[in-house]
Amino acid sequence: MWNYEKKLQYPINIKTPNPAFAQIIISQYGGPDGEISASLRYLSQRYTMPNGELKGLLTDIGTEEMAHFEMIGAMVYQLTRNLSCEDIKKQGFDAYFVDHTTGVYTAAANGTPWTATYFQSKGDVITDLHEDLAAEQKARTTYDNILRLIDDPDIIDPIRFLREREIVHYQRFGEGLRIATDALDCKNYYMYNPEFDKKCKN
């Protein structure tokens, strides 16, 4: 089980609400390469990892991604607090407002709701770790794109922190892939495919 520390992993203190920025950042809350997809991906994949070290890796990173999900939610909330009707219309927040008021909702920047099709849990250590490596790079690119569009230092600082964590996770998954491949022989590499099993025995 986890112990929950009741504070954000990195402080969020946005002084100036900006619903236009909230609509950009929300993609990392519920978009295709966002934090909830990452967390659910890793926490689901860990069950079929072949050893405790890899299970621990997926559990650690999956848990941290949940903390990042919480950070993005706090940012979206702070960017949309105390809005006037004029702010909502002027900054293009009206379409979101109609459906969610200022509630924080799992959606991409384009408004598409979150879906479980954003991630995969295949049960094959090599396949899953390669997906995880790609996922971290896609999240890093999304943070790069956010940084290109945002000019508020109160937002830039935590976004840079999150971007750096994606790079660290990518490195850790690379280490995990090396651990996995070093431990695999022909038989257990293809353990779910009887055709490959036959070839290994010949």
Side-chain angles (χ1 to χ4, degrees), residues 186 194-202:
C186 186
E195 290 306 310
F196 282 110
D197 245 5
K198 287 176 192 173
K199 290 175 187 175
C200 290
K201 290 172 185 174
N202 293 337

Side-chain angles (χ1 to χ4, degrees), residues 145-159:
N145 292 339
I146 289 170
L147 288 168
R148 289 181 178 105
L149 298 171
I150 301 290
D151 59 7
D152 184 339
D154 291 342
I155 303 170
I156 289 170
D157 188 46
I159 292 294

